[in-house]
Amino acid sequence: MRESELKHGRIAMLAFAGWLATDFGVRFPGAGAPYTSVPNAFSAHDIMVENGSMWVMLSLAGMIEICSGAVLVEVSKGLSDREAGEYGFDPLGFNKNNSDDMKLKELQNGRAAMMAFGGLATQTALGGTEFPYLVPYPNVAEFTW
């Protein structure tokens, strides 16, 4: 479904930018502990789970999914003519002319971000913990598990 692809693409774009920002040391001003003590993005998940901060994010994501699910039911029944991914939220006016070219660019950039985030997480898990996240093995083909 196009709705799902757009949603996952938007989340992947934000996740990729957030991962890089965390690894470059960007933190919310005045956030305090435990947020300022996160050494890198790869270990951020475990630290936030230990401190109970992930419940807030899980609850927020659940509420967003419930609200958007109700809209999808209306669309599937034909009660709404809303296009996929259109929520009527454009405070900066990027979609004034509603061009197909911008919609295609968003879709393609979302697809690229999904692949990029998967590669970024994989490379970091394999041992490339610092930017540019290259695995520190001289020859990966010879590496044995």
Side-chain angles (χ1 to χ4, degrees):
M1 224 168 122
R2 183 59 48 112
E3 182 88 25
S4 177
E5 185 176 17
L6 282 168
K7 185 184 294 186
H8 284 86
R10 290 170 180 168
I11 291 170
M13 287 186 267
L14 288 171
F16 188 82
W19 189 294
L20 291 179
T22 301
D23 279 354
F24 286 135
V26 177
R27 303 291 187 269
F28 286 112
Y35 306 105
T36 54
S37 64
V38 174
N40 57 35
F42 187 70
S43 60
H45 176 270
D46 295 336
I47 292 170
M48 295 303 138
V49 168
E50 289 172 4
N51 291 305
S53 301
M54 292 297 280
W55 283 106
V56 175
M57 188 182 300
L58 180 64
S59 301
L60 180 62
M63 289 302 297
I64 291 171
E65 287 297 316
I66 288 170
C67 293
S68 65
V71 174
L72 290 177
V73 170
E74 287 180 0
V75 171
S76 67
K77 290 182 177 179
L79 302 174
S80 175
D81 60 347
R82 182 184 69 87
E83 288 186 38
E86 293 295 326
Y87 294 104
F89 181 74
D90 189 15
L92 300 177
F94 286 129
N95 200 17
K96 286 181 183 175
N97 56 0
N98 202 13
S99 71
D100 290 336
D101 185 47
M102 288 302 288
K103 290 178 183 178
L104 180 62
K105 287 178 183 178
E106 180 185 19
L107 188 64
Q108 290 175 337
N109 284 327
R111 289 173 180 165
M114 286 186 269
M115 296 299 293
F117 186 76
L120 176 65
T122 302
Q123 285 294 103
T124 306
L126 288 175
T129 57
E130 295 178 0
F131 186 79
Y133 310 109
L134 299 175
V135 178
Y137 309 117
N139 188 354
V140 178
E142 294 176 7
F143 182 73
T144 58
W145 298 96

